[in-house]
Amino acid sequence: MPELPEVETVSKDLSEHLIGETISDIGIIDARNLRGISPANFVQQIRGTKISNIYRKGKTIIWNLTNNLSIIIHLRMTGKFILTNNNAELTKHDMIVFKTKKWDITFNDVRKFATINLTSTNAIEDLNYFKNIGIDPTKSEFTFDNFKYMLKKGAKKSLKAFLLEQDKIVGIGNIYASEILFDSKINPERLGYSLSKNEEIELFSSIKKIILQAIMMRGTTFSDYRDGFNKKGEFQNQLKVYNKLNENCIICKDTINKIKQNGRSTYYCQTCQK
DNA sequence: ACAATATCCTGCGAGC
DNA sequence: TGCTCGCAGGATATTG
């Protein structure tokens, strides 16, 4: 579910309240999110340590701990962190509860695709997900030259597929890919090498614009996504094509199309997007 | 080497 | 009402 803006929102909610907190206990209800570590070992290594930093890297959330270990969480489709005051009541699909003096931090995951790794802080870059991580559209590394370099690497693919590739540009998922292509007026089936100079500039600008707008609106709640306090985002009210099959394009009033690309839905306006 | 497909899991809405 | 089917925002392993 969550793409860059949603992960950024959750990560900020957590960092605002949890940095400096000591993890006094961990309750594991269901261990299926844990990767490469037993539940007992996970609990033993974390209990009693302090959270020194929390930040986003790509679509993951990283908790640095004071014992030189870090927890790396990828929410995938339905992972959620919910902060509550102590003694949160357990609900369906709660997987892990981290406890501090002030907070219960409940990790809930309906579909159980989320991943949680524990690794040495100085070995974070070695995790597979980070080895070939692409450029981040919210950071200074997202320059037009770097964008063009990545576009060249994905030149033979449809632009929709290109936008989803985390080793090129990190953070875009299925919702924002459709919205970005609509904003840049480019047909999702066009191939990377087919863009004119102006279209390259349009696409580059739209990526930045849509992602930053969505962060400002605290993400998109299509169904499951919630921020760190179980509240919905606001960007779903700004969506122009995603999940709007047969509705009218806000620009030209033609009906919105839906197609399948690499097994995933793409929404677009065939009149506006050439 | 590359690109398309299957897969993990649960819930929901559509259609019968 | 209740069943089955298809679909869902992600990434990776497997297949071709």
mmCIF file with all atom_site columns, all heavy atoms in Angstrom, chain B residues 1-7, chain C residues 13-16:
data_model
loop_
_atom_site.group_PDB
_atom_site.id
_atom_site.type_symbol
_atom_site.label_atom_id
_atom_site.label_alt_id
_atom_site.label_comp_id
_atom_site.label_asym_id
_atom_site.label_entity_id
_atom_site.label_seq_id
_atom_site.pdbx_PDB_ins_code
_atom_site.Cartn_x
_atom_site.Cartn_y
_atom_site.Cartn_z
_atom_site.occupancy
_atom_site.B_iso_or_equiv
_atom_site.pdbx_formal_charge
_atom_site.auth_seq_id
_atom_site.auth_comp_id
_atom_site.auth_asym_id
_atom_site.auth_atom_id
_atom_site.pdbx_PDB_model_num
ATOM 1   P P     . DA B 1 1  ? 24.783 -11.379 -17.014 1.00 0.00 ? 1  DA B P     1
ATOM 2   O OP1   . DA B 1 1  ? 25.722 -10.305 -16.763 1.00 0.00 ? 1  DA B OP1   1
ATOM 3   O OP2   . DA B 1 1  ? 24.135 -12.095 -15.931 1.00 0.00 ? 1  DA B OP2   1
ATOM 4   O "O5'" . DA B 1 1  ? 23.609 -10.857 -17.966 1.00 0.00 ? 1  DA B "O5'" 1
ATOM 5   C "C5'" . DA B 1 1  ? 23.901 -10.192 -19.167 1.00 0.00 ? 1  DA B "C5'" 1
ATOM 6   C "C4'" . DA B 1 1  ? 22.592 -9.707  -19.710 1.00 0.00 ? 1  DA B "C4'" 1
ATOM 7   O "O4'" . DA B 1 1  ? 21.765 -10.854 -20.045 1.00 0.00 ? 1  DA B "O4'" 1
ATOM 8   C "C3'" . DA B 1 1  ? 21.796 -8.857  -18.712 1.00 0.00 ? 1  DA B "C3'" 1
ATOM 9   O "O3'" . DA B 1 1  ? 21.257 -7.753  -19.418 1.00 0.00 ? 1  DA B "O3'" 1
ATOM 10  C "C2'" . DA B 1 1  ? 20.705 -9.796  -18.209 1.00 0.00 ? 1  DA B "C2'" 1
ATOM 11  C "C1'" . DA B 1 1  ? 20.501 -10.720 -19.411 1.00 0.00 ? 1  DA B "C1'" 1
ATOM 12  N N9    . DA B 1 1  ? 20.069 -12.083 -19.039 1.00 0.00 ? 1  DA B N9    1
ATOM 13  C C8    . DA B 1 1  ? 20.552 -12.859 -18.024 1.00 0.00 ? 1  DA B C8    1
ATOM 14  N N7    . DA B 1 1  ? 19.995 -14.041 -17.956 1.00 0.00 ? 1  DA B N7    1
ATOM 15  C C5    . DA B 1 1  ? 19.079 -14.034 -18.996 1.00 0.00 ? 1  DA B C5    1
ATOM 16  C C6    . DA B 1 1  ? 18.164 -14.992 -19.468 1.00 0.00 ? 1  DA B C6    1
ATOM 17  N N6    . DA B 1 1  ? 18.024 -16.194 -18.929 1.00 0.00 ? 1  DA B N6    1
ATOM 18  N N1    . DA B 1 1  ? 17.405 -14.670 -20.531 1.00 0.00 ? 1  DA B N1    1
ATOM 19  C C2    . DA B 1 1  ? 17.553 -13.462 -21.092 1.00 0.00 ? 1  DA B C2    1
ATOM 20  N N3    . DA B 1 1  ? 18.378 -12.479 -20.744 1.00 0.00 ? 1  DA B N3    1
ATOM 21  C C4    . DA B 1 1  ? 19.123 -12.838 -19.677 1.00 0.00 ? 1  DA B C4    1
ATOM 22  P P     . DC B 1 2  ? 20.601 -6.590  -18.557 1.00 0.00 ? 2  DC B P     1
ATOM 23  O OP1   . DC B 1 2  ? 21.074 -5.326  -19.132 1.00 0.00 ? 2  DC B OP1   1
ATOM 24  O OP2   . DC B 1 2  ? 20.753 -6.866  -17.111 1.00 0.00 ? 2  DC B OP2   1
ATOM 25  O "O5'" . DC B 1 2  ? 19.066 -6.760  -18.929 1.00 0.00 ? 2  DC B "O5'" 1
ATOM 26  C "C5'" . DC B 1 2  ? 18.676 -6.714  -20.302 1.00 0.00 ? 2  DC B "C5'" 1
ATOM 27  C "C4'" . DC B 1 2  ? 17.365 -7.450  -20.450 1.00 0.00 ? 2  DC B "C4'" 1
ATOM 28  O "O4'" . DC B 1 2  ? 17.518 -8.795  -19.984 1.00 0.00 ? 2  DC B "O4'" 1
ATOM 29  C "C3'" . DC B 1 2  ? 16.241 -6.871  -19.589 1.00 0.00 ? 2  DC B "C3'" 1
ATOM 30  O "O3'" . DC B 1 2  ? 15.427 -6.058  -20.423 1.00 0.00 ? 2  DC B "O3'" 1
ATOM 31  C "C2'" . DC B 1 2  ? 15.479 -8.088  -19.071 1.00 0.00 ? 2  DC B "C2'" 1
ATOM 32  C "C1'" . DC B 1 2  ? 16.230 -9.269  -19.659 1.00 0.00 ? 2  DC B "C1'" 1
ATOM 33  N N1    . DC B 1 2  ? 16.383 -10.424 -18.743 1.00 0.00 ? 2  DC B N1    1
ATOM 34  C C2    . DC B 1 2  ? 15.669 -11.597 -19.014 1.00 0.00 ? 2  DC B C2    1
ATOM 35  O O2    . DC B 1 2  ? 14.922 -11.631 -19.997 1.00 0.00 ? 2  DC B O2    1
ATOM 36  N N3    . DC B 1 2  ? 15.810 -12.665 -18.180 1.00 0.00 ? 2  DC B N3    1
ATOM 37  C C4    . DC B 1 2  ? 16.625 -12.592 -17.130 1.00 0.00 ? 2  DC B C4    1
ATOM 38  N N4    . DC B 1 2  ? 16.733 -13.658 -16.352 1.00 0.00 ? 2  DC B N4    1
ATOM 39  C C5    . DC B 1 2  ? 17.369 -11.403 -16.846 1.00 0.00 ? 2  DC B C5    1
ATOM 40  C C6    . DC B 1 2  ? 17.224 -10.351 -17.670 1.00 0.00 ? 2  DC B C6    1
ATOM 41  P P     . DA B 1 3  ? 14.319 -5.156  -19.748 1.00 0.00 ? 3  DA B P     1
ATOM 42  O OP1   . DA B 1 3  ? 14.089 -3.994  -20.631 1.00 0.00 ? 3  DA B OP1   1
ATOM 43  O OP2   . DA B 1 3  ? 14.618 -4.969  -18.324 1.00 0.00 ? 3  DA B OP2   1
ATOM 44  O "O5'" . DA B 1 3  ? 13.055 -6.128  -19.872 1.00 0.00 ? 3  DA B "O5'" 1
ATOM 45  C "C5'" . DA B 1 3  ? 12.754 -6.730  -21.119 1.00 0.00 ? 3  DA B "C5'" 1
ATOM 46  C "C4'" . DA B 1 3  ? 11.604 -7.692  -20.913 1.00 0.00 ? 3  DA B "C4'" 1
ATOM 47  O "O4'" . DA B 1 3  ? 12.074 -8.843  -20.177 1.00 0.00 ? 3  DA B "O4'" 1
ATOM 48  C "C3'" . DA B 1 3  ? 10.454 -7.109  -20.097 1.00 0.00 ? 3  DA B "C3'" 1
ATOM 49  O "O3'" . DA B 1 3  ? 9.239  -7.556  -20.663 1.00 0.00 ? 3  DA B "O3'" 1
ATOM 50  C "C2'" . DA B 1 3  ? 10.667 -7.691  -18.707 1.00 0.00 ? 3  DA B "C2'" 1
ATOM 51  C "C1'" . DA B 1 3  ? 11.231 -9.063  -19.056 1.00 0.00 ? 3  DA B "C1'" 1
ATOM 52  N N9    . DA B 1 3  ? 12.043 -9.673  -18.005 1.00 0.00 ? 3  DA B N9    1
ATOM 53  C C8    . DA B 1 3  ? 13.004 -9.078  -17.224 1.00 0.00 ? 3  DA B C8    1
ATOM 54  N N7    . DA B 1 3  ? 13.576 -9.899  -16.373 1.00 0.00 ? 3  DA B N7    1
ATOM 55  C C5    . DA B 1 3  ? 12.952 -11.115 -16.608 1.00 0.00 ? 3  DA B C5    1
ATOM 56  C C6    . DA B 1 3  ? 13.112 -12.390 -16.042 1.00 0.00 ? 3  DA B C6    1
ATOM 57  N N6    . DA B 1 3  ? 13.984 -12.649 -15.067 1.00 0.00 ? 3  DA B N6    1
ATOM 58  N N1    . DA B 1 3  ? 12.328 -13.378 -16.507 1.00 0.00 ? 3  DA B N1    1
ATOM 59  C C2    . DA B 1 3  ? 11.453 -13.108 -17.484 1.00 0.00 ? 3  DA B C2    1
ATOM 60  N N3    . DA B 1 3  ? 11.217 -11.954 -18.109 1.00 0.00 ? 3  DA B N3    1
ATOM 61  C C4    . DA B 1 3  ? 12.011 -10.991 -17.617 1.00 0.00 ? 3  DA B C4    1
ATOM 62  P P     . DA B 1 4  ? 7.878  -6.885  -20.318 1.00 0.00 ? 4  DA B P     1
ATOM 63  O OP1   . DA B 1 4  ? 7.317  -6.357  -21.570 1.00 0.00 ? 4  DA B OP1   1
ATOM 64  O OP2   . DA B 1 4  ? 8.083  -6.012  -19.151 1.00 0.00 ? 4  DA B OP2   1
ATOM 65  O "O5'" . DA B 1 4  ? 6.991  -8.127  -19.864 1.00 0.00 ? 4  DA B "O5'" 1
ATOM 66  C "C5'" . DA B 1 4  ? 6.777  -9.193  -20.769 1.00 0.00 ? 4  DA B "C5'" 1
ATOM 67  C "C4'" . DA B 1 4  ? 6.444  -10.453 -20.004 1.00 0.00 ? 4  DA B "C4'" 1
ATOM 68  O "O4'" . DA B 1 4  ? 7.509  -10.777 -19.083 1.00 0.00 ? 4  DA B "O4'" 1
ATOM 69  C "C3'" . DA B 1 4  ? 5.161  -10.372 -19.171 1.00 0.00 ? 4  DA B "C3'" 1
ATOM 70  O "O3'" . DA B 1 4  ? 4.410  -11.537 -19.436 1.00 0.00 ? 4  DA B "O3'" 1
ATOM 71  C "C2'" . DA B 1 4  ? 5.670  -10.326 -17.731 1.00 0.00 ? 4  DA B "C2'" 1
ATOM 72  C "C1'" . DA B 1 4  ? 6.944  -11.155 -17.836 1.00 0.00 ? 4  DA B "C1'" 1
ATOM 73  N N9    . DA B 1 4  ? 7.958  -10.876 -16.820 1.00 0.00 ? 4  DA B N9    1
ATOM 74  C C8    . DA B 1 4  ? 8.542  -9.670  -16.535 1.00 0.00 ? 4  DA B C8    1
ATOM 75  N N7    . DA B 1 4  ? 9.443  -9.733  -15.584 1.00 0.00 ? 4  DA B N7    1
ATOM 76  C C5    . DA B 1 4  ? 9.456  -11.069 -15.230 1.00 0.00 ? 4  DA B C5    1
ATOM 77  C C6    . DA B 1 4  ? 10.207 -11.795 -14.271 1.00 0.00 ? 4  DA B C6    1
ATOM 78  N N6    . DA B 1 4  ? 11.114 -11.245 -13.484 1.00 0.00 ? 4  DA B N6    1
ATOM 79  N N1    . DA B 1 4  ? 9.968  -13.124 -14.174 1.00 0.00 ? 4  DA B N1    1
ATOM 80  C C2    . DA B 1 4  ? 9.042  -13.683 -14.972 1.00 0.00 ? 4  DA B C2    1
ATOM 81  N N3    . DA B 1 4  ? 8.290  -13.107 -15.907 1.00 0.00 ? 4  DA B N3    1
ATOM 82  C C4    . DA B 1 4  ? 8.544  -11.792 -15.981 1.00 0.00 ? 4  DA B C4    1
ATOM 83  P P     . DT B 1 5  ? 2.957  -11.753 -18.898 1.00 0.00 ? 5  DT B P     1
ATOM 84  O OP1   . DT B 1 5  ? 2.214  -12.515 -19.908 1.00 0.00 ? 5  DT B OP1   1
ATOM 85  O OP2   . DT B 1 5  ? 2.492  -10.446 -18.420 1.00 0.00 ? 5  DT B OP2   1
ATOM 86  O "O5'" . DT B 1 5  ? 3.205  -12.690 -17.633 1.00 0.00 ? 5  DT B "O5'" 1
ATOM 87  C "C5'" . DT B 1 5  ? 3.465  -14.065 -17.836 1.00 0.00 ? 5  DT B "C5'" 1
ATOM 88  C "C4'" . DT B 1 5  ? 3.735  -14.717 -16.498 1.00 0.00 ? 5  DT B "C4'" 1
ATOM 89  O "O4'" . DT B 1 5  ? 4.806  -14.045 -15.821 1.00 0.00 ? 5  DT B "O4'" 1
ATOM 90  C "C3'" . DT B 1 5  ? 2.553  -14.718 -15.525 1.00 0.00 ? 5  DT B "C3'" 1
ATOM 91  O "O3'" . DT B 1 5  ? 2.268  -16.069 -15.245 1.00 0.00 ? 5  DT B "O3'" 1
ATOM 92  C "C2'" . DT B 1 5  ? 3.068  -13.947 -14.307 1.00 0.00 ? 5  DT B "C2'" 1
ATOM 93  C "C1'" . DT B 1 5  ? 4.566  -14.124 -14.437 1.00 0.00 ? 5  DT B "C1'" 1
ATOM 94  N N1    . DT B 1 5  ? 5.424  -13.102 -13.784 1.00 0.00 ? 5  DT B N1    1
ATOM 95  C C2    . DT B 1 5  ? 6.343  -13.533 -12.850 1.00 0.00 ? 5  DT B C2    1
ATOM 96  O O2    . DT B 1 5  ? 6.449  -14.710 -12.518 1.00 0.00 ? 5  DT B O2    1
ATOM 97  N N3    . DT B 1 5  ? 7.113  -12.541 -12.304 1.00 0.00 ? 5  DT B N3    1
ATOM 98  C C4    . DT B 1 5  ? 7.076  -11.194 -12.599 1.00 0.00 ? 5  DT B C4    1
ATOM 99  O O4    . DT B 1 5  ? 7.831  -10.418 -12.038 1.00 0.00 ? 5  DT B O4    1
ATOM 100 C C5    . DT B 1 5  ? 6.105  -10.806 -13.589 1.00 0.00 ? 5  DT B C5    1
ATOM 101 C C7    . DT B 1 5  ? 5.987  -9.376  -13.967 1.00 0.00 ? 5  DT B C7    1
ATOM 102 C C6    . DT B 1 5  ? 5.338  -11.765 -14.124 1.00 0.00 ? 5  DT B C6    1
ATOM 103 P P     . DA B 1 6  ? 1.107  -16.494 -14.287 1.00 0.00 ? 6  DA B P     1
ATOM 104 O OP1   . DA B 1 6  ? 0.540  -17.740 -14.819 1.00 0.00 ? 6  DA B OP1   1
ATOM 105 O OP2   . DA B 1 6  ? 0.254  -15.331 -14.005 1.00 0.00 ? 6  DA B OP2   1
ATOM 106 O "O5'" . DA B 1 6  ? 1.920  -16.849 -12.966 1.00 0.00 ? 6  DA B "O5'" 1
ATOM 107 C "C5'" . DA B 1 6  ? 2.940  -17.819 -13.015 1.00 0.00 ? 6  DA B "C5'" 1
ATOM 108 C "C4'" . DA B 1 6  ? 3.425  -18.109 -11.609 1.00 0.00 ? 6  DA B "C4'" 1
ATOM 109 O "O4'" . DA B 1 6  ? 4.223  -16.996 -11.132 1.00 0.00 ? 6  DA B "O4'" 1
ATOM 110 C "C3'" . DA B 1 6  ? 2.324  -18.305 -10.575 1.00 0.00 ? 6  DA B "C3'" 1
ATOM 111 O "O3'" . DA B 1 6  ? 2.767  -19.307 -9.667  1.00 0.00 ? 6  DA B "O3'" 1
ATOM 112 C "C2'" . DA B 1 6  ? 2.190  -16.936 -9.916  1.00 0.00 ? 6  DA B "C2'" 1
ATOM 113 C "C1'" . DA B 1 6  ? 3.631  -16.432 -9.959  1.00 0.00 ? 6  DA B "C1'" 1
ATOM 114 N N9    . DA B 1 6  ? 3.791  -14.990 -10.065 1.00 0.00 ? 6  DA B N9    1
ATOM 115 C C8    . DA B 1 6  ? 3.057  -14.131 -10.845 1.00 0.00 ? 6  DA B C8    1
ATOM 116 N N7    . DA B 1 6  ? 3.459  -12.884 -10.754 1.00 0.00 ? 6  DA B N7    1
ATOM 117 C C5    . DA B 1 6  ? 4.524  -12.927 -9.858  1.00 0.00 ? 6  DA B C5    1
ATOM 118 C C6    . DA B 1 6  ? 5.370  -11.930 -9.352  1.00 0.00 ? 6  DA B C6    1
ATOM 119 N N6    . DA B 1 6  ? 5.279  -10.646 -9.670  1.00 0.00 ? 6  DA B N6    1
ATOM 120 N N1    . DA B 1 6  ? 6.331  -12.317 -8.472  1.00 0.00 ? 6  DA B N1    1
ATOM 121 C C2    . DA B 1 6  ? 6.423  -13.610 -8.163  1.00 0.00 ? 6  DA B C2    1
ATOM 122 N N3    . DA B 1 6  ? 5.691  -14.626 -8.574  1.00 0.00 ? 6  DA B N3    1
ATOM 123 C C4    . DA B 1 6  ? 4.740  -14.215 -9.436  1.00 0.00 ? 6  DA B C4    1
ATOM 124 P P     . DT B 1 7  ? 1.837  -19.792 -8.505  1.00 0.00 ? 7  DT B P     1
ATOM 125 O OP1   . DT B 1 7  ? 2.203  -21.186 -8.230  1.00 0.00 ? 7  DT B OP1   1
ATOM 126 O OP2   . DT B 1 7  ? 0.447  -19.406 -8.802  1.00 0.00 ? 7  DT B OP2   1
ATOM 127 O "O5'" . DT B 1 7  ? 2.354  -18.890 -7.293  1.00 0.00 ? 7  DT B "O5'" 1
ATOM 128 C "C5'" . DT B 1 7  ? 3.700  -19.031 -6.835  1.00 0.00 ? 7  DT B "C5'" 1
ATOM 129 C "C4'" . DT B 1 7  ? 3.944  -18.086 -5.696  1.00 0.00 ? 7  DT B "C4'" 1
ATOM 130 O "O4'" . DT B 1 7  ? 4.111  -16.740 -6.200  1.00 0.00 ? 7  DT B "O4'" 1
ATOM 131 C "C3'" . DT B 1 7  ? 2.804  -18.018 -4.674  1.00 0.00 ? 7  DT B "C3'" 1
ATOM 132 O "O3'" . DT B 1 7  ? 3.239  -18.492 -3.425  1.00 0.00 ? 7  DT B "O3'" 1
ATOM 133 C "C2'" . DT B 1 7  ? 2.443  -16.545 -4.600  1.00 0.00 ? 7  DT B "C2'" 1
ATOM 134 C "C1'" . DT B 1 7  ? 3.665  -15.858 -5.193  1.00 0.00 ? 7  DT B "C1'" 1
ATOM 135 N N1    . DT B 1 7  ? 3.371  -14.540 -5.813  1.00 0.00 ? 7  DT B N1    1
ATOM 136 C C2    . DT B 1 7  ? 4.219  -13.484 -5.557  1.00 0.00 ? 7  DT B C2    1
ATOM 137 O O2    . DT B 1 7  ? 5.201  -13.580 -4.855  1.00 0.00 ? 7  DT B O2    1
ATOM 138 N N3    . DT B 1 7  ? 3.864  -12.304 -6.159  1.00 0.00 ? 7  DT B N3    1
ATOM 139 C C4    . DT B 1 7  ? 2.767  -12.086 -6.973  1.00 0.00 ? 7  DT B C4    1
ATOM 140 O O4    . DT B 1 7  ? 2.562  -10.991 -7.438  1.00 0.00 ? 7  DT B O4    1
ATOM 141 C C5    . DT B 1 7  ? 1.924  -13.234 -7.188  1.00 0.00 ? 7  DT B C5    1
ATOM 142 C C7    . DT B 1 7  ? 0.715  -13.101 -8.043  1.00 0.00 ? 7  DT B C7    1
ATOM 143 C C6    . DT B 1 7  ? 2.262  -14.388 -6.605  1.00 0.00 ? 7  DT B C6    1
ATOM 144 P P     . DA C 2 13 ? 14.670 -13.189 -3.739  1.00 0.00 ? 13 DA C P     1
ATOM 145 O OP1   . DA C 2 13 ? 15.286 -13.534 -2.447  1.00 0.00 ? 13 DA C OP1   1
ATOM 146 O OP2   . DA C 2 13 ? 15.471 -12.547 -4.798  1.00 0.00 ? 13 DA C OP2   1
ATOM 147 O "O5'" . DA C 2 13 ? 13.980 -14.498 -4.344  1.00 0.00 ? 13 DA C "O5'" 1
ATOM 148 C "C5'" . DA C 2 13 ? 12.918 -15.121 -3.633  1.00 0.00 ? 13 DA C "C5'" 1
ATOM 149 C "C4'" . DA C 2 13 ? 12.258 -16.135 -4.541  1.00 0.00 ? 13 DA C "C4'" 1
ATOM 150 O "O4'" . DA C 2 13 ? 11.406 -15.456 -5.489  1.00 0.00 ? 13 DA C "O4'" 1
ATOM 151 C "C3'" . DA C 2 13 ? 13.239 -16.974 -5.358  1.00 0.00 ? 13 DA C "C3'" 1
ATOM 152 O "O3'" . DA C 2 13 ? 12.764 -18.309 -5.395  1.00 0.00 ? 13 DA C "O3'" 1
ATOM 153 C "C2'" . DA C 2 13 ? 13.245 -16.294 -6.729  1.00 0.00 ? 13 DA C "C2'" 1
ATOM 154 C "C1'" . DA C 2 13 ? 11.812 -15.760 -6.815  1.00 0.00 ? 13 DA C "C1'" 1
ATOM 155 N N9    . DA C 2 13 ? 11.681 -14.537 -7.605  1.00 0.00 ? 13 DA C N9    1
ATOM 156 C C8    . DA C 2 13 ? 12.500 -13.431 -7.580  1.00 0.00 ? 13 DA C C8    1
ATOM 157 N N7    . DA C 2 13 ? 12.113 -12.466 -8.385  1.00 0.00 ? 13 DA C N7    1
ATOM 158 C C5    . DA C 2 13 ? 10.968 -12.975 -8.986  1.00 0.00 ? 13 DA C C5    1
ATOM 159 C C6    . DA C 2 13 ? 10.079 -12.450 -9.955  1.00 0.00 ? 13 DA C C6    1
ATOM 160 N N6    . DA C 2 13 ? 10.219 -11.241 -10.487 1.00 0.00 ? 13 DA C N6    1
ATOM 161 N N1    . DA C 2 13 ? 9.041  -13.213 -10.336 1.00 0.00 ? 13 DA C N1    1
ATOM 162 C C2    . DA C 2 13 ? 8.903  -14.428 -9.787  1.00 0.00 ? 13 DA C C2    1
ATOM 163 N N3    . DA C 2 13 ? 9.665  -15.031 -8.874  1.00 0.00 ? 13 DA C N3    1
ATOM 164 C C4    . DA C 2 13 ? 10.697 -14.244 -8.517  1.00 0.00 ? 13 DA C C4    1
ATOM 165 P P     . DT C 2 14 ? 13.508 -19.459 -6.248  1.00 0.00 ? 14 DT C P     1
ATOM 166 O OP1   . DT C 2 14 ? 13.305 -20.729 -5.545  1.00 0.00 ? 14 DT C OP1   1
ATOM 167 O OP2   . DT C 2 14 ? 14.866 -18.990 -6.590  1.00 0.00 ? 14 DT C OP2   1
ATOM 168 O "O5'" . DT C 2 14 ? 12.639 -19.475 -7.582  1.00 0.00 ? 14 DT C "O5'" 1
ATOM 169 C "C5'" . DT C 2 14 ? 11.228 -19.647 -7.494  1.00 0.00 ? 14 DT C "C5'" 1
ATOM 170 C "C4'" . DT C 2 14 ? 10.624 -19.593 -8.884  1.00 0.00 ? 14 DT C "C4'" 1
ATOM 171 O "O4'" . DT C 2 14 ? 10.657 -18.237 -9.389  1.00 0.00 ? 14 DT C "O4'" 1
ATOM 172 C "C3'" . DT C 2 14 ? 11.363 -20.451 -9.931  1.00 0.00 ? 14 DT C "C3'" 1
ATOM 173 O "O3'" . DT C 2 14 ? 10.403 -21.278 -10.571 1.00 0.00 ? 14 DT C "O3'" 1
ATOM 174 C "C2'" . DT C 2 14 ? 11.971 -19.437 -10.893 1.00 0.00 ? 14 DT C "C2'" 1
ATOM 175 C "C1'" . DT C 2 14 ? 11.007 -18.267 -10.757 1.00 0.00 ? 14 DT C "C1'" 1
ATOM 176 N N1    . DT C 2 14 ? 11.545 -16.914 -11.099 1.00 0.00 ? 14 DT C N1    1
ATOM 177 C C2    . DT C 2 14 ? 10.840 -16.120 -11.997 1.00 0.00 ? 14 DT C C2    1
ATOM 178 O O2    . DT C 2 14 ? 9.810  -16.471 -12.528 1.00 0.00 ? 14 DT C O2    1
ATOM 179 N N3    . DT C 2 14 ? 11.395 -14.895 -12.241 1.00 0.00 ? 14 DT C N3    1
ATOM 180 C C4    . DT C 2 14 ? 12.565 -14.384 -11.707 1.00 0.00 ? 14 DT C C4    1
ATOM 181 O O4    . DT C 2 14 ? 12.956 -13.268 -12.000 1.00 0.00 ? 14 DT C O4    1
ATOM 182 C C5    . DT C 2 14 ? 13.255 -15.269 -10.792 1.00 0.00 ? 14 DT C C5    1
ATOM 183 C C7    . DT C 2 14 ? 14.526 -14.813 -10.146 1.00 0.00 ? 14 DT C C7    1
ATOM 184 C C6    . DT C 2 14 ? 12.719 -16.482 -10.531 1.00 0.00 ? 14 DT C C6    1
ATOM 185 P P     . DT C 2 15 ? 10.834 -22.418 -11.605 1.00 0.00 ? 15 DT C P     1
ATOM 186 O OP1   . DT C 2 15 ? 10.014 -23.610 -11.348 1.00 0.00 ? 15 DT C OP1   1
ATOM 187 O OP2   . DT C 2 15 ? 12.303 -22.517 -11.654 1.00 0.00 ? 15 DT C OP2   1
ATOM 188 O "O5'" . DT C 2 15 ? 10.331 -21.784 -12.973 1.00 0.00 ? 15 DT C "O5'" 1
ATOM 189 C "C5'" . DT C 2 15 ? 8.963  -21.387 -13.112 1.00 0.00 ? 15 DT C "C5'" 1
ATOM 190 C "C4'" . DT C 2 15 ? 8.824  -20.532 -14.345 1.00 0.00 ? 15 DT C "C4'" 1
ATOM 191 O "O4'" . DT C 2 15 ? 9.607  -19.332 -14.201 1.00 0.00 ? 15 DT C "O4'" 1
ATOM 192 C "C3'" . DT C 2 15 ? 9.325  -21.218 -15.631 1.00 0.00 ? 15 DT C "C3'" 1
ATOM 193 O "O3'" . DT C 2 15 ? 8.231  -21.312 -16.521 1.00 0.00 ? 15 DT C "O3'" 1
ATOM 194 C "C2'" . DT C 2 15 ? 10.443 -20.303 -16.153 1.00 0.00 ? 15 DT C "C2'" 1
ATOM 195 C "C1'" . DT C 2 15 ? 10.144 -18.984 -15.453 1.00 0.00 ? 15 DT C "C1'" 1
ATOM 196 N N1    . DT C 2 15 ? 11.312 -18.100 -15.174 1.00 0.00 ? 15 DT C N1    1
ATOM 197 C C2    . DT C 2 15 ? 11.309 -16.826 -15.696 1.00 0.00 ? 15 DT C C2    1
ATOM 198 O O2    . DT C 2 15 ? 10.394 -16.394 -16.389 1.00 0.00 ? 15 DT C O2    1
ATOM 199 N N3    . DT C 2 15 ? 12.396 -16.048 -15.366 1.00 0.00 ? 15 DT C N3    1
ATOM 200 C C4    . DT C 2 15 ? 13.471 -16.433 -14.591 1.00 0.00 ? 15 DT C C4    1
ATOM 201 O O4    . DT C 2 15 ? 14.371 -15.649 -14.373 1.00 0.00 ? 15 DT C O4    1
ATOM 202 C C5    . DT C 2 15 ? 13.418 -17.790 -14.081 1.00 0.00 ? 15 DT C C5    1
ATOM 203 C C7    . DT C 2 15 ? 14.551 -18.292 -13.242 1.00 0.00 ? 15 DT C C7    1
ATOM 204 C C6    . DT C 2 15 ? 12.358 -18.545 -14.399 1.00 0.00 ? 15 DT C C6    1
ATOM 205 P P     . DG C 2 16 ? 8.369  -22.093 -17.905 1.00 0.00 ? 16 DG C P     1
ATOM 206 O OP1   . DG C 2 16 ? 7.010  -22.572 -18.229 1.00 0.00 ? 16 DG C OP1   1
ATOM 207 O OP2   . DG C 2 16 ? 9.516  -23.018 -17.864 1.00 0.00 ? 16 DG C OP2   1
ATOM 208 O "O5'" . DG C 2 16 ? 8.766  -20.885 -18.847 1.00 0.00 ? 16 DG C "O5'" 1
ATOM 209 C "C5'" . DG C 2 16 ? 7.770  -20.142 -19.550 1.00 0.00 ? 16 DG C "C5'" 1
ATOM 210 C "C4'" . DG C 2 16 ? 8.509  -19.162 -20.416 1.00 0.00 ? 16 DG C "C4'" 1
ATOM 211 O "O4'" . DG C 2 16 ? 9.460  -18.461 -19.594 1.00 0.00 ? 16 DG C "O4'" 1
ATOM 212 C "C3'" . DG C 2 16 ? 9.316  -19.840 -21.526 1.00 0.00 ? 16 DG C "C3'" 1
ATOM 213 O "O3'" . DG C 2 16 ? 8.747  -19.530 -22.789 1.00 0.00 ? 16 DG C "O3'" 1
ATOM 214 C "C2'" . DG C 2 16 ? 10.732 -19.261 -21.408 1.00 0.00 ? 16 DG C "C2'" 1
ATOM 215 C "C1'" . DG C 2 16 ? 10.576 -18.149 -20.401 1.00 0.00 ? 16 DG C "C1'" 1
ATOM 216 N N9    . DG C 2 16 ? 11.747 -17.995 -19.520 1.00 0.00 ? 16 DG C N9    1
ATOM 217 C C8    . DG C 2 16 ? 12.314 -18.946 -18.714 1.00 0.00 ? 16 DG C C8    1
ATOM 218 N N7    . DG C 2 16 ? 13.351 -18.493 -18.054 1.00 0.00 ? 16 DG C N7    1
ATOM 219 C C5    . DG C 2 16 ? 13.486 -17.173 -18.477 1.00 0.00 ? 16 DG C C5    1
ATOM 220 C C6    . DG C 2 16 ? 14.436 -16.189 -18.112 1.00 0.00 ? 16 DG C C6    1
ATOM 221 O O6    . DG C 2 16 ? 15.384 -16.273 -17.337 1.00 0.00 ? 16 DG C O6    1
ATOM 222 N N1    . DG C 2 16 ? 14.193 -14.992 -18.779 1.00 0.00 ? 16 DG C N1    1
ATOM 223 C C2    . DG C 2 16 ? 13.173 -14.762 -19.677 1.00 0.00 ? 16 DG C C2    1
ATOM 224 N N2    . DG C 2 16 ? 13.100 -13.545 -20.216 1.00 0.00 ? 16 DG C N2    1
ATOM 225 N N3    . DG C 2 16 ? 12.286 -15.678 -20.017 1.00 0.00 ? 16 DG C N3    1
ATOM 226 C C4    . DG C 2 16 ? 12.507 -16.855 -19.377 1.00 0.00 ? 16 DG C C4    1
#
